[in-house]
Amino acid sequence: MTSLPPLIAIVAMASNRVIGKDGTLPWRLPEDLKFFKKTTLGHPILMGRRTFESLGKPLPGRRNIVLSRTMPEREGVDVIRSLDELAGLAIEAEKVFVIGGAQLFEALLPHCEGMYLTWVEHPYEGDTWLPPFESLFAESQVIGRSEGMEFRYYERLKTKSDAELMALASKAAECAYAPYSKAQVGCVVVAKSGALYTGCNVENASYGLTICAERNAIFAGVAAEGPSFRLDRIAVVALGLEFPPCGACRQVIAEFSDDDASVVFLREGRLTATSIRELLPSGFRLQA
């Protein structure tokens, strides 16, 4: 994707993750509308066609940008056909707010530097839900409250050093279920999207049904991001032991990464970073 201006998402979500119903908001909350206006006024806002249609007209005091392949040009609105066109709009602003809908959030949340979330306590009925975002951002800060809702801000997770990844993997290892081998293993995966996923080993009396920490972390990434999931870095810790990923895990890592994906583990008491190509020179891959 072409380099984009700084993006900040803003959305209201019910406690059951609902964000819409029948093409509009399933609630009318004046305090949330005031918060949205105060936060976005004077800044460009980016939305999909359906979100624009639910508004009915351009929002005043903001540059309205609509991403749509089918929407005709309209006065007061910048219509773009692809996200690559966003970088070409010569936007002179410190940030662009992404305001929905769900498909746009799914595409752009991995690229957002932060997110304003109005958390609505009541579990409203709806037909549109906010995609998973928790693994992309640090824990939220509550920046305000009103009756039945909280205004939260989430900051994008920053790139972590190998040592920081190993510390996270060690914490994951503490959750391991390893009554047979006594080997507690933890793993943290950094996806290409920037999201972090953790896993620990889960053993079974039948050794063949044991699932390693690396696979559990990767499977968590696939469950969250779908078939497009790709990993960039992976760190593995075995508490009190030293060994790199097993052969089966190396093959799964290769399946969801490029050859230069970094694998971090302890070797002879030292932090070692290598590539999956070195660990698995000839992994099984589908041929194009």
Side-chain angles (χ1 to χ4, degrees), residues 10 36-37 40-68 71-81 85-86 89 91-93 95-100 104:
I10 184 167
F36 176 87
K37 181 177 181 179
T40 62
L41 198 63
H43 299 282
I45 53 176
L46 173 65
M47 70 199 87
R49 174 182 58 82
R50 292 180 181 176
T51 297
F52 178 77
E53 291 175 348
S54 72
L55 297 174
K57 61 180 180 180
L59 293 181
R62 285 147 285 199
R63 185 174 182 178
N64 288 242
I65 306 168
V66 178
L67 173 64
S68 172
M71 179 175 162
E73 300 293 330
R74 177 163 176 168
E75 185 178 354
V77 178
D78 290 303
V79 180
I80 59 176
R81 306 304 178 188
E85 293 183 30
L86 183 60
L89 288 180
I91 297 173
E92 296 181 2
K95 65 188 73 169
V96 175
F97 282 98
V98 180
I99 69 170
L104 197 61

Side-chain angles (χ1 to χ4, degrees), residues 217-253:
I218 291 170
F219 296 161
V222 175
E225 300 186 18
S228 63
F229 168 79
R230 305 293 289 173
L231 70 85
D232 184 54
R233 299 161 69 201
I234 184 168
V236 185
V237 168
L239 299 183
L241 301 170
E242 294 185 8
F243 53 78
C246 71
C249 286
R250 297 183 195 192
Q251 184 58 58
V252 175
I253 294 170

Side-chain angles (χ1 to χ4, degrees), residues 119-148:
W119 184 84
V120 181
E121 182 178 359
H122 184 75
Y124 284 86
E125 293 184 2
D127 53 24
T128 309
W129 296 267
L130 188 65
F133 64 86
E134 288 81 357
S135 62
L136 298 170
F137 300 93
E139 292 185 6
S140 65
Q141 307 169 36
V142 178
I143 58 177
R145 289 186 173 90
S146 187
E147 184 177 356

Side-chain angles (χ1 to χ4, degrees), residues 15-278:
S15 57
N16 58 354
R17 304 192 72 91
V18 164
I19 61 173
K21 182 180 181 181
D22 299 327
T24 188
L25 294 176
W27 52 70
R28 182 166 180 80
L29 303 172
E31 291 304 310
D32 176 51
L33 295 177
K34 291 179 183 178
F35 176 76
F36 176 87
K37 181 177 181 179
K38 177 182 177 181
T39 305
T40 62
L41 198 63
H43 299 282
I45 53 176
L46 173 65
M47 70 199 87
R49 174 182 58 82
R50 292 180 181 176
T51 297
F52 178 77
E53 291 175 348
S54 72
L55 297 174
K57 61 180 180 180
L59 293 181
R62 285 147 285 199
R63 185 174 182 178
N64 288 242
I65 306 168
V66 178
L67 173 64
S68 172
R69 295 188 181 91
T70 59
M71 179 175 162
E73 300 293 330
R74 177 163 176 168
E75 185 178 354
V77 178
D78 290 303
V79 180
I80 59 176
R81 306 304 178 188
S82 71
L83 291 172
D84 287 340
E85 293 183 30
L86 183 60
L89 288 180
I91 297 173
E92 296 181 2
E94 62 180 21
K95 65 188 73 169
V96 175
F97 282 98
V98 180
I99 69 170
Q103 290 184 346
L104 197 61
F105 284 133
E106 184 173 10
L108 289 186
L109 279 176
H111 304 281
C112 288
E113 295 185 3
M115 178 174 70
Y116 289 96
L117 176 77
T118 301
W119 184 84
V120 181
E121 182 178 359
H122 184 75
Y124 284 86
E125 293 184 2
D127 53 24
T128 309
W129 296 267
L130 188 65
F133 64 86
E134 288 81 357
S135 62
L136 298 170
F137 300 93
E139 292 185 6
S140 65
Q141 307 169 36
V142 178
I143 58 177
R145 289 186 173 90
S146 187
E147 184 177 356
M149 70 186 81
E150 285 185 350
F151 303 111
R152 303 174 178 177
Y153 181 72
Y154 292 80
E155 186 175 3
R156 176 66 179 236
L157 286 169
K158 305 302 182 183
T159 301
K160 295 185 179 297
S161 67
D162 288 346
E164 289 173 318
L165 291 180
M166 292 295 278
L168 290 174
S170 295
K171 186 175 181 179
E174 296 173 2
C175 299
Y177 179 75
Y180 305 105
S181 72
K182 310 300 181 184
Q184 294 177 276
V185 184
C187 175
V188 60
V189 164
V190 182
K192 289 285 190 181
S193 66
L196 297 181
Y197 302 100
T198 59
C200 61
N201 59 316
V202 179
E203 293 184 348
N204 187 277
S206 172
Y207 179 77
L209 297 180
T210 293
I211 303 181
C212 296
E214 298 93 320
R215 278 173 274 171
N216 276 326
I218 291 170
F219 296 161
V222 175
E225 300 186 18
S228 63
F229 168 79
R230 305 293 289 173
L231 70 85
D232 184 54
R233 299 161 69 201
I234 184 168
V236 185
V237 168
L239 299 183
L241 301 170
E242 294 185 8
F243 53 78
C246 71
C249 286
R250 297 183 195 192
Q251 184 58 58
V252 175
I253 294 170
E255 182 73 23
F256 292 98
S257 67
D258 300 325
D259 287 341
D260 60 351
S262 176
V263 184
V264 184
F265 57 96
L266 288 175
R267 176 182 284 165
E268 297 179 354
R270 297 194 303 179
L271 198 61
T272 300
T274 186
S275 69
I276 186 58
R277 177 186 295 174
E278 292 178 0

